[in-house]
Amino acid sequence: MNVRKGVTKMLAVYGTMMPLRLLEEIQFWKMQEKEHTVVILELIPDLEPNYVNLLKEWEPIFEQTEMAATQWIEALLRSPSGITPHVQAQLERIIDMSIQQSRLWISQLLYMLNNSEAVQRHATAPVVIRHIIRESEYFLGVLDAFLNSRAQQQTGFTGYTGFNGFGFNGFTGFPGITQPFTPPAAASAGIPAGVQQQKLPVSTITVTNQAEKVSVHAASNRQEADYNLSGEGSWSQIRPESRPVPIGGHTLPPLPYDYSALEPYIDTETMRIHHDIHHKSYVDGLNKAEKSLQEARQSGNFDLIKHWEREAAFHGAGHYLHTLFWNIMNPKGGGEPTGALAKQISSDFGSFAAFKKHFSEAASKVEGGGWAILVWSPRSHRLQILQAEKHQNLSQWDIVPLLALDVWEHAYYLKHQNKRDDYIEDWWNVVYWPHVSERFEQARKLRWQPY
């Protein structure tokens, strides 16, 4: 992805609202970096204690920066007078801190990658760590391109006029942001002091060693009849539970097939990491958000209501879309739909080929991580194709998702590296149209008054 071109477009679209857009980027990427500390710890259970301690030190640092960005977003939305020189300096400080954190995070990950014996013992660990490094490098690229574009175009914080009608309430800063960034004690992890000072270029690390893309999961001999384990649809052997999920009681659904079932199109280890680590993190995040909102209701303290509502939206959408994603794929997939769904696709898109082209292009052009989704609209009485950035942004309400394609890089980087279009082409071979058709049959019964 051309980061600089993307930021130039962002500047043109957001204009004086660009500071908010940047803070949203910082908020999201610090949440991602925090999640990546957990991914590494779960992926490498025998990681040396010094690196374990280092990763655990990073987690609250990323969380504090994420929270600070959230508070700044809320403060700017309340500001009637725009950005004063003092506030501008504070905003630039949080940007500088975010950059320092990510650069140091990358340098320490590179050191761990090259020096940890536990990392080297796990065939997949080096590939995952390189992917995590690429993710943080992309974030640095976004900020770097913005800062350079701002200098060239004199666009950004300077001249920002704010939002009339919102109360600034004398905001002067946040605890933790007025102080310099304190990095983790890298020395205790055996990392030389020079690594902390290393300023890394924003580049792309490409996995070229084919041996790193191995699948280490030993597949079990699951029978075909057990492809119904998720409990989705009438073809399932499991009757859906009628009782509601308790607050904070969401669980990770089992895959309806073995990790290796979608080979050669989607590799075994990607499925294992994607389902067992990434999807589980969304379940855990949703449960934490729901419990925190419950505590807010009980205590009457809603100071962090926006933060936990955002967390519930992000992790909840991630959990529900992934649950759909596993079920619209199957080793018996591929080909084209039949019956009523095929007729509706032809009616709404002209032909299946036109639909497939539109859907593939929508997936390919998702900015950063996100989804392409085929939905039924009970309001317009037709099918539509939507994009979702992250999991929840740029989507619509009052629709029913039927087919979802995950184009976050963690869905394909082990096999396809950064070649998203190749992954999309392979994915069509595992689309399970019977399940999509069944969802459509139920969804099209919903028809609201059209407007």
Side-chain angles (χ1 to χ4, degrees):
M1 182 181 300
N2 188 322
V3 172
R4 194 170 302 281
K5 181 178 178 182
V7 170
T8 301
K9 291 171 66 177
M10 286 165 60
L11 287 168
V13 171
Y14 291 97
T16 56
M17 294 182 68
M18 194 60 200
L20 283 173
R21 186 69 181 89
L22 269 180
L23 287 168
E24 288 175 349
E25 286 294 318
I26 291 172
Q27 176 195 50
F28 172 70
W29 285 105
K30 293 306 164 182
M31 179 176 65
Q32 286 295 102
E33 289 176 328
K34 177 181 67 176
E35 179 184 312
H36 287 155
T37 66
V38 177
V39 168
I40 294 172
L41 288 171
E42 291 190 4
L43 181 66
I44 315 172
D46 57 339
L47 188 65
E48 293 88 346
N50 52 334
Y51 295 118
V52 171
N53 292 335
L54 182 67
L55 292 170
K56 288 182 176 180
E57 285 188 51
W58 269 116
E59 188 174 353
I61 290 173
F62 291 141
E63 184 171 20
Q64 290 165 10
T65 310
E66 176 198 349
M67 290 288 290
T70 300
Q71 292 173 304
W72 268 111
I73 290 169
E74 295 171 5
L76 289 181
L77 287 172
R78 295 194 302 266
S79 170
S81 57
I83 294 183
T84 65
H86 170 73
V87 174
Q88 177 177 330
Q90 292 287 319
L91 292 175
E92 291 181 347
R93 181 172 293 178
I94 191 173
I95 291 174
D96 288 342
M97 263 192 215
S98 299
I99 291 172
Q100 289 178 43
Q101 289 173 6
S102 294
R103 283 178 174 159
L104 180 56
W105 169 242
I106 290 170
S107 66
Q108 292 182 351
L109 286 180
L110 284 171
Y111 186 89
M112 182 172 67
L113 178 67
N114 294 323
N115 293 276
S116 167
E117 293 182 2
V119 169
Q120 300 304 321
R121 284 195 297 269
H122 289 262
T124 307
V127 187
V128 173
I129 292 174
R130 287 190 177 94
H131 160 69
I132 289 172
I133 290 170
R134 283 201 305 274
E135 293 272 273
S136 289
E137 285 182 327
Y138 175 80
F139 165 67
L140 287 176
V142 169
L143 293 187
D144 178 67
F146 166 75
L147 294 173
N148 287 335
S149 297
R150 182 177 64 138
Q152 294 170 6
Q153 301 178 20
Q154 296 183 345
T155 304
F157 297 128
T158 303
Y160 176 74
T161 57
F163 302 90
N164 294 328
F166 294 91
F168 192 61
N169 298 330
F171 180 80
T172 58
F174 289 104
I177 295 306
T178 58
Q179 302 300 322
F181 161 57
T182 302
S188 65
I191 298 178
V195 174
Q196 297 188 52
Q197 306 301 323
Q198 184 178 355
K199 186 173 181 179
L200 298 175
V202 179
S203 60
T204 299
I205 298 177
T206 303
V207 179
T208 56
N209 183 358
Q210 296 298 315
E212 289 177 338
K213 299 187 296 179
V214 298
S215 298
V216 298
H217 175 72
S220 62
N221 294 320
R222 183 175 292 169
Q223 299 298 316
E224 275 189 15
D226 290 331
Y227 285 140
N228 308 332
L229 284 178
S230 65
E232 292 280 324
S234 62
W235 49 275
S236 173
Q237 295 175 343
I238 300 177
R239 298 181 64 84
E241 293 282 349
S242 59
R243 60 182 177 82
V245 175
I247 293 173
H250 297 275
T251 58
L252 180 67
L255 282 176
Y257 35 72
D258 193 76
Y259 295 123
S260 63
L262 303 184
E263 293 272 13
Y265 306 110
I266 300 180
D267 62 286
T268 302
E269 194 61 9
T270 291
M271 289 296 295
R272 187 184 71 82
I273 294 172
H274 195 175
H275 175 267
D276 295 1
I277 297 180
H278 288 288
H279 188 173
K280 185 178 183 298
S281 75
Y282 302 132
V283 174
D284 294 342
L286 175 58
N287 287 335
K288 182 177 180 180
E290 287 187 348
K291 289 178 180 177
S292 297
L293 290 169
Q294 183 183 49
E295 291 173 4
R297 291 191 295 272
Q298 293 171 346
S299 67
N301 183 352
F302 292 97
D303 290 348
L304 296 177
I305 183 69
K306 288 187 178 181
H307 170 73
W308 290 117
E309 291 288 3
R310 287 191 185 98
E311 289 284 290
F314 175 79
H315 291 290
H319 171 42
Y320 299 141
L321 282 173
H322 278 91
T323 302
L324 170 62
F325 183 59
W326 309 132
N327 286 284
I328 56 85
M329 298 187 294
N330 194 281
K332 295 183 177 180
E336 298 184 15
T338 58
L341 177 59
K343 292 179 182 178
Q344 192 73 46
I345 287 176
S346 294
S347 173
D348 294 337
F349 299 100
S351 66
F352 177 77
F355 154 73
K356 183 177 179 180
K357 176 66 173 176
H358 181 168
F359 191 94
S360 297
E361 287 295 321
S364 178
K365 300 300 191 298
V366 170
E367 186 76 22
W371 300 75
I373 311 172
L374 173 68
V375 304
W376 168 255
S377 172
R379 188 68 64 189
S380 61
H381 301 179
R382 55 185 169 83
L383 298 170
Q384 295 175 258
I385 294 172
L386 303 177
Q387 285 182 327
E389 286 187 3
K390 301 179 175 68
H391 302 302
Q392 77 284 21
N393 295 346
L394 304 183
S395 194
Q396 294 179 2
W397 291 100
D398 207 14
I399 51 88
V400 181
L402 305 177
L403 176 73
L405 170 56
D406 187 348
V407 289
W408 283 72
E409 198 175 81
H410 63 231
Y412 58 87
Y413 66 93
L414 287 182
K415 178 178 175 65
H416 297 90
Q417 299 179 38
N418 62 346
K419 299 175 182 177
R420 179 185 287 184
D421 290 346
D422 291 351
Y423 159 68
I424 293 170
E425 184 177 350
D426 274 350
W427 174 79
W428 286 107
N429 292 286
V430 296
V431 172
Y432 192 54
W433 290 110
H435 185 73
V436 183
S437 294
E438 184 172 333
R439 290 182 66 90
F440 172 65
E441 287 296 333
Q442 297 299 318
R444 69 173 179 161
K445 296 175 183 177
L446 292 173
R447 290 177 180 263
W448 317 136
Q449 181 67 30
Y451 289 105

